[in-house]
Amino acid sequence: MTETTAPAGRSGISAEQQAVEQQLVDTVIASFDKTEDPRLKFLMQSLTRHLHAFIREVRLTEDEWNKGIEFLTNAGHITDDKRQEFILLSDVLGASMQTIAVNNETVGNATEATVFGPFFVNDAPEIPIGGDIAGGAAGQPCWVEGTVTDTNGNPVPNARIEVWEADDDGFYDVQYTDGRVAGRAHLYTDQDGKYRFWGLTPTPYPIPHDGPVGQMLEAVGRSPVRASHLHFMVTAENLRTLVTHIFVEGDPQIEIGDSVFGVKDSLIKKFDQQPAGTPTPDGRDLGNQTWARTRFDIVLAPADA
Ligand code: BEZ
Ligand code: FE
């Protein structure tokens, strides 16, 4: 596979030219030498090294540099307190998932983390165990249940579970302009660490793609669609906060590819389809509607792991 049109290595570049380029790298790195905060100094010098290495490796043209600046400018213009194009960019470049990987090293059997996404909202309504997060959002009812434990298998009572998801049309409540609160809630585990609630069977939906990130995806032939998922954030005292999703086994989008690289095998769950008329776990009458059920047992790592 041809990866680049840049010359292989630096073989086509004279020693004099290489020296000029390296001199600039060294000068910029040295410009950060007096940074008081050692972490900031390390970050800025490393960023300089990698950025210059990229420019030199691809032999960036001035036209390409201008296009890059224009792209970032457009990302800035479309960003506001509701739309964050830079996080979207980080997501589609896999930078968000790489940061999660670096900061959430696997601990024993702890549940894996995945991308947060832009649609979490603080202060979602509280529901009782067995309650419904739909709040009128359209979609197939889905019974979700499980247990929260620590890595030693001890149940975690009173863990706070935030859940949020898109409706059947692929939109989160915050993407509508009518101020609705739907498809999100929080609840607490019981004394045995158990939880259960009604949600909606997740369906695939595109990330916002009407801006520069969407244009970039189109230019490179990539789909903006995310694999169907249900978001969770679980917090409990002395345990590491878990931000994750569960994905729907058999969803073709898992094979096609999740646009933000969020899928992990351990997070793919069976969503068992139930024919209309099948008795529900809590006796809820769904009339002639089909429904689904899934189980997600959550294992939290120690806070200091
Ligand atoms: C989401 O899961 O909703 C999402 C994640 C990353 C980017 C856009 C959307
Ligand atoms: Fe999502």
Side-chain angles (χ1 to χ4, degrees):
M1 185 173 63
T2 309
E3 213 175 76
T4 174
T5 53
R10 302 251 154 77
S11 52
I13 301 154
S14 70
E16 291 79 3
Q17 172 66 17
Q18 287 194 48
V20 168
E21 294 171 10
Q22 188 58 46
Q23 173 65 51
L24 178 60
V25 178
D26 295 343
T27 305
V28 180
I29 287 175
S31 77
F32 294 108
D33 274 350
K34 292 199 185 91
T35 309
E36 266 180 37
D37 179 337
R39 176 69 181 167
L40 181 61
K41 178 176 167 181
F42 176 64
L43 292 177
M44 294 314 298
Q45 293 188 325
S46 178
L47 176 64
T48 302
R49 208 171 287 119
H50 287 275
L51 180 61
H52 283 248
F54 166 75
I55 294 167
R56 296 173 75 192
E57 179 188 311
V58 304
R59 310 310 297 169
L60 193 71
T61 67
E62 287 173 75
D63 187 43
E64 288 163 346
W65 183 89
N66 272 318
K67 286 221 167 69
I69 295 297
E70 191 181 299
F71 177 88
L72 293 174
T73 304
N74 291 339
H77 284 159
I78 203 172
T79 295
D80 59 22
D81 55 353
K82 288 230 166 70
R83 172 74 178 260
Q84 232 303 355
E85 197 74 358
F86 292 99
I87 295 183
L88 220 49
L89 178 60
S90 163
D91 293 340
V92 301
L93 291 178
S96 305
M97 280 304 290
Q98 193 66 273
T99 306
I100 289 163
V102 165
N103 288 281
N104 293 270
E105 211 169 309
T106 312
V107 182
N109 58 343
T111 302
E112 292 190 279
T114 189
V115 66
F116 196 40
F119 297 122
F120 173 75
V121 171
N122 272 315
D123 305 321
E126 180 172 350
I127 54 163
I129 287 188
D132 189 354
I133 74 162
Q140 184 191 52
C142 180
W143 179 255
V144 184
E145 63 189 336
T147 304
V148 179
T149 57
D150 65 18
T151 47
N152 295 317
N154 303 307
V156 180
N158 212 33
R160 180 177 171 124
I161 303 179
E162 304 269 358
V163 283
W164 66 104
E165 62 177 326
D167 64 15
D168 224 18
D169 294 318
F171 294 110
Y172 286 80
D173 54 1
V174 290
Q175 293 177 283
Y176 293 96
T177 51
D178 57 9
R180 73 184 73 176
V181 177
R184 67 177 70 246
H186 72 272
L187 68 161
Y188 294 91
T189 52
D190 68 14
Q191 283 315 300
D192 301 317
K194 292 188 188 314
Y195 73 90
R196 52 200 170 272
F197 63 87
W198 283 102
L200 302 171
T201 307
T203 51
Y205 66 86
I207 62 170
H209 58 111
D210 56 345
V213 169
Q215 285 165 8
M216 185 272 279
L217 290 178
E218 197 175 338
V220 300
R222 271 177 56 185
S223 161
V225 177
R226 289 224 56 201
S228 315
H229 61 274
L230 169 60
H231 292 262
F232 281 75
M233 178 161 70
V234 188
T235 46
E237 232 173 282
N238 299 324
L239 295 165
R240 186 200 275 174
T241 295
L242 173 70
V243 174
T244 196
H245 330 325
I246 50 174
F247 295 90
V248 180
E249 189 180 277
D251 173 8
Q253 198 63 38
I254 292 177
E255 284 305 311
I256 297 167
D258 179 43
S259 53
V260 300
F261 310 101
V263 179
K264 291 179 173 175
D265 286 351
S266 68
L267 300 175
I268 301 173
K269 303 295 171 191
K270 265 201 171 68
F271 281 68
D272 290 317
Q273 284 292 324
Q274 310 293 319
T278 309
T280 55
D282 61 349
R284 179 180 179 188
D285 182 3
L286 289 171
N288 60 1
Q289 255 188 310
T290 61
W291 57 283
R293 67 184 303 162
T294 189
R295 180 169 193 91
F296 180 35
D297 292 318
I298 297 166
V299 180
L300 298 180
D304 52 7

